[in-house]
Structures are given as C-alpha cells and as structure tokens.
Amino acid sequence: MLAEIRGLNEECGVFGVWGHQDASQITYYGLHSLQHRGQEGTGMVVTDGKKLKGMKGEGLVAEIFTADAMKELEGKAAIGHVRYATAGGGGYENVQPLLFNSQSGSLALCHNGNLVNATALKHQLEGQGSIFQTSSDTEVLAHLIKRAGFSILKDGVKNALSMIKGAYAFLIMTETELMVALDPNGMRPLSLGKIGDAYAVASETCAFDVVGAEYIRDILPGELLIIDDNGFRSEMFAMASNIAMCTMEYVYFSRPDSNINGINVHTARKNLGKQLAFEVPIEGDVVTGVPDSSISVAIGYAEASGIPYEMGLIKNRYVGRTFIQPSQSLREQGVKMKLSPVRGVVEGKRVIMVDDSIVRGTTSKRIVTMLKEAGATEVHVLISSPPIKNPCFYGIDTSSKEELIAGNHSVEEIREIIGADTLTFLSTEGMVKAIGRKDGQCLACFTGEYPTEIYPSTVHPYEKV
C-alpha cells in the first residue's frame, strides 16, 4: 500500500559490488531498483584499492547521484544504501554508508535492520570513551570493531557481530575487501550475484535483474562472506538458530519480481489471494487491489473466486515527496493525491477491496470512503495478513502498540472505523501456508512471539536504520 503515507516503512536496502570497473554506475542502478525500500536518503562509498571515497544526501537516488556527482565516484568496488528516516533518526549525518578513517585504514558500512541491544551497547561504549557522531545503531558496530583491537579485521568483525542482537544485513568495505554478514536468525533478505568476474550483493534479487547480474545464492544466517580480488570465501560467525525471515517481506515490502529464499514474491502474494478466497468467500461484482503490493493478491483472489479483477484504484506516480506530510489531516490529503478510484469500474458495484495490511486505519478509511463516493454500493475489505497487533523491533517503523489499530480494537471495531461493509483478515496459518517457506518466518507483529530477546531499551530505540 502507500508506505510513505500510512507509516509502515521498511527501513532500508543495501547493494554492493566488487571487482567491476563501473562499480559506481552498477551500484547506482542497483540502488534505484531498491528505491521502494527507502526514499529519505541515499549514499555510496567507492574504493579504487587505495582509498575510500563517499557521497550521500537526503533525497532520492536520482536526486543525489547526478551525472556530475557520479564522475567523482570512480573505483573497482562500491557499497550503497537507501533509507527511511524514523523518529530521531533523520538528518544528513545518519544517511549511510557511514565512513570512518583511522591510521590503520578506512572502513565503510551500511545496514538493513535494527539492533535490539544497540542502546545498551552504546551506553557501554560511551562509558569506555567512545564518542558517537550519529544516532544510528549502525555506528555501534564500527566502534565494536575498532575497540576490540584485533590485528586482522575479519576477526574484529566476527567478534563485534557476536555482541550484537537483532535483525541485520551488513555490508562492510575497506580499501581491499568487502564483508557481508547476515544475522543468525536470517531476518532480512540478502543475496549474492555475479556480473562477469565481479560479485554483487543486494537486499533483493530484483536489483540483479536490473544490473545484469546472475543470482548465485542467498547469504546464510550467521554467515560472514568476504569478497576481494581473489574471489569470495565464506565463514560462519554464529550458528544459524530459530530462522525467522520477516513475513512482511513477502506480504508487502519486497518487489514482486524479487525472489526470497527461492520463493517468488509475486507468486507468494497470488497464493495469499487464493488462500483468502478459500477462507473468505464473498459475493461481489469486482475485485480490486490497492496499488502496488496488493495487486498480485487481488489477482490471486479473482482467479480463485471467479469474480473478475478490475483496476478500481489508480495510483498517481507523479506525486513527489512534497506530499508526504506527518500530520493526520495532510496524510489523508496525501491519500487523495496518491490514489484515485475509477468510477466507471466501481459505480453501482459490490467491490471487494484487497489490501496487504492495516496499521493505523487512516488510509483504509479514506480509500473505503473514496470508493463509496465513486458509487460503490458495497465495499468488502480483505487483508492478506493477520491483524498487526504488536510493534516490530527489527527494522519496521511500528515501535509502539498504541499506534496500531488492531492492538487496541477488535476486527468489528476496525470495520466500523474504516466504514467497510465487511472486514476480514487472513489467518496466520493460512498466510504461512500460502507463502510456503520451508524455513521459519517472523510472525512477531501478528502473534507477539519475538524470535530474539527484547531488551527494555528496545521499546524506545534511539534509532532504527
């Protein structure tokens, strides 16, 4: 749905390439393909084998990396990042990759996820003399690496990774190597690809398609991958445990042309729609999905139910970030500018409106109202996930139960609030079955069962990245 408006934001995406003469250009296109994962800031660091050079800014990839800017970023390797800002986490200094210089060499790193023990580690490090330049928990890892004092960087990285908890996909680059790490629970997607003799790493496989890379495999939970001019080698810094890939990657965040652990996202969403049709047979005239992530679900529901799919809602793709405003009144106005009902499709019809989730309810209420104003006689809302009742501490911008409508209201109360004729959520069991993962997945926002320990300070983290 409309993440910028409704507040369900995945925090970022990462991309890296090693061993290519056009590393910065490839990274540019890789980041552009991951733009849906973060639209508030972007950055890139390149190496020519002797030194690191970085550029970053608040804005979209195309706004920051202009033709003139790209001329300054030449090298054989690069890492890049796109991000959303969260409470207390905006500002230029928090845009990644973060670049650190020292007498022993430079270090750049970027991160997708959130460290649940970052606040505790930061207090500990400050007590030992560390001075932090950002409010990003990504910086915690840099301090842990340097303060350990290992002569071999790999050992320092593995030691630091053993101390952090939570969801993370890290890219760490020096002048001579690129290190890639995924948390032991495997909570974030991260894949390895190859472009000729060069290697690429990305949060989503759709980035490989854009840059012409061949997918090799997913990074394993607890794995540290080290890439340099001699190729790559793999080491485990931790044993994989309690595998828990974020379910919302399949439901909402990832692009439909991406594959996560061998499962195509579009196919998974179609299966969610088919499962909805099995669980919730509704009499209607047309099925429509809320652009963009719910279109695949709506198609699946239409195929399984026999009710025709129609484009009942159109997304205006030319509305800029100017309209992403924090207040509720402006947020509702933003919905009107982002979405428009197609009167010729919905007028006089019983509309089955399919969406991926309901977070606060504001956007859903406005969409239902728009459909009825356009002449829909009934609006039946189907959600391809269970009610989101619990906050996420792993990198999704829902940090408190109070802001979640399902955490404070019953399904019937939510139906009344959004003005739908009926409202049905997919069952947890049905969602898991439809996605079809062989390994585990994180269901914490639905069930309240978190795959890691949640530290007291995690409830009010100083920053998510």
Side-chain angles (χ1 to χ4, degrees):
M1 203 161 127
L2 304 177
E4 309 98 305
I5 296 171
R6 71 182 184 177
L8 182 61
N9 295 332
E10 214 287 337
E11 302 308 329
C12 63
V14 296
F15 185 91
V17 61
W18 187 276
H20 200 289
Q21 62 180 2
D22 298 320
S24 61
Q25 288 84 353
I26 290 172
T27 302
Y28 170 89
Y29 287 112
L31 292 176
H32 197 275
S33 69
L34 299 174
Q35 188 76 85
H36 60 287
R37 299 183 72 89
Q39 301 178 10
E40 298 303 320
T42 184
M44 187 189 308
V45 173
V46 300
T47 179
D48 58 4
K50 298 180 180 179
K51 63 179 180 180
L52 301 184
K53 185 174 184 179
M55 182 177 296
K56 63 181 184 178
E58 295 179 277
L60 301 175
V61 172
E63 294 172 339
I64 303 303
F65 300 117
T66 62
D68 289 339
M70 291 300 293
K71 294 177 182 178
E72 302 297 319
L73 295 172
E74 294 185 355
K76 65 177 183 179
I79 61 173
H81 188 268
V82 291
R83 79 185 297 269
Y84 274 110
T86 57
Y92 173 85
E93 68 278 3
N94 285 314
V95 179
Q96 298 179 32
L98 302 181
L99 178 57
F100 304 91
N101 297 304
S102 68
Q103 292 182 343
S104 59
S106 299
L107 180 75
L109 70 162
C110 55
H111 168 209
N112 173 24
N114 188 57
L115 308 182
V116 296
N117 64 337
T119 301
L121 287 172
K122 184 179 181 183
H123 289 321
Q124 176 184 332
L125 287 164
E126 287 180 337
Q128 296 171 353
S130 292
I131 299 175
F132 286 82
Q133 302 299 312
T134 75
S135 61
S136 167
D137 59 2
T138 306
E139 190 179 358
V140 171
L141 183 68
H143 286 265
L144 290 174
I145 293 172
K146 284 297 184 181
R147 291 191 68 85
F150 286 90
S151 58
I152 299 175
L153 179 63
K154 176 195 68 175
D155 295 334
V157 170
K158 292 173 73 172
N159 178 74
L161 292 172
S162 70
M163 299 174 66
I164 61 178
K165 307 294 182 182
Y168 56 85
F170 273 107
L171 301 189
I172 306 165
M173 190 172 73
T174 69
E175 293 86 349
T176 58
E177 60 188 352
L178 169 62
M179 297 186 187
V180 183
L182 185 66
D183 69 80
N185 299 105
M187 299 178 72
R188 286 284 169 259
L190 191 61
S191 299
L192 175 69
K194 195 171 186 182
I195 314 172
D197 294 329
Y199 290 96
V201 183
S203 290
E204 292 186 37
T205 60
C206 65
F208 294 158
D209 299 328
V210 170
V211 302
E214 176 188 1
Y215 165 83
I216 297 178
R217 66 173 176 85
D218 293 325
I219 308 302
L220 302 175
E223 182 179 24
L224 178 65
L225 202 66
I226 305 167
I227 307 172
D228 57 24
D229 292 342
N230 297 316
F232 76 88
R233 60 189 186 277
S234 170
E235 297 185 16
M236 301 301 293
F237 66 86
M239 292 294 294
S241 63
N242 192 20
I243 304 302
M245 169 62 69
C246 175
T247 298
M248 292 307 290
E249 291 286 353
Y250 295 98
V251 172
Y252 170 69
F253 294 125
S254 296
R255 268 177 39 167
D257 52 338
S258 288
N259 296 324
I260 303 175
N261 298 145
I263 298 174
N264 174 254
V265 173
H266 167 69
T267 301
R269 289 175 184 164
K270 280 191 67 176
N271 290 338
L272 290 170
K274 293 176 181 179
Q275 183 66 25
L276 268 173
F278 173 76
E279 293 186 10
V280 193
I282 290 179
E283 293 185 3
D285 300 309
V286 296
V287 178
T288 191
V290 179
D292 287 311
S293 58
S294 302
I295 292 177
S296 299
V297 183
I299 292 172
Y301 187 92
E303 288 184 3
S305 66
I307 302 171
Y309 166 79
E310 296 284 356
M311 293 183 63
L313 293 164
I314 298 295
K315 184 177 181 180
N316 181 356
R317 303 185 183 279
Y318 300 98
V319 177
R321 291 176 297 116
T322 302
F323 300 106
I324 303 172
Q325 302 290 344
S327 71
Q328 180 172 323
S329 61
L330 290 178
R331 186 181 297 121
E332 292 180 1
Q333 179 66 23
V335 176
K336 293 179 68 176
M337 303 198 70
K338 286 270 185 177
L339 283 179
S340 300
V342 182
R343 181 175 291 274
V345 169
V346 304
E347 189 171 22
K349 302 289 180 61
R350 296 170 297 174
V351 177
I352 299 174
M353 185 194 98
V354 181
D355 204 358
D356 49 74
S357 58
I358 296 180
V359 182
R360 296 171 179 84
T362 305
T363 301
S364 298
K365 178 180 180 180
R366 185 56 200 158
I367 295 174
V368 171
T369 301
M370 287 194 299
L371 289 170
K372 291 193 172 183
E373 288 176 347
T377 58
E378 298 175 6
V379 177
H380 302 274
V381 177
L382 300 182
I383 305 299
S384 62
S385 62
I388 298 177
K389 298 181 178 181
N390 307 283
C392 175
F393 303 116
Y394 302 116
I396 298 175
D397 192 15
T398 54
S399 58
S400 67
K401 193 178 182 71
E402 289 70 24
E403 64 183 320
L404 302 172
I405 192 171
N408 302 278
H409 297 280
S410 67
V411 173
E412 176 58 23
E413 288 172 339
I414 298 172
R415 183 199 66 76
E416 292 181 357
I417 291 171
I418 68 174
D421 291 273
T422 63
L423 168 65
T424 310
F425 292 86
L426 186 61
S427 68
T428 302
E429 297 77 15
M431 178 184 65
V432 172
K433 176 183 176 182
I435 292 173
R437 278 182 58 87
K438 295 180 180 179
D439 295 326
Q441 58 196 76
C442 182
L443 303 169
C445 57
F446 310 117
T447 66
E449 298 178 5
Y450 295 92
T452 72
E453 179 182 357
I454 299 300
Y455 293 73
S457 59
T458 308
V459 179
H460 299 288
Y462 62 91
E463 161 65 338
K464 298 177 184 175
V465 296

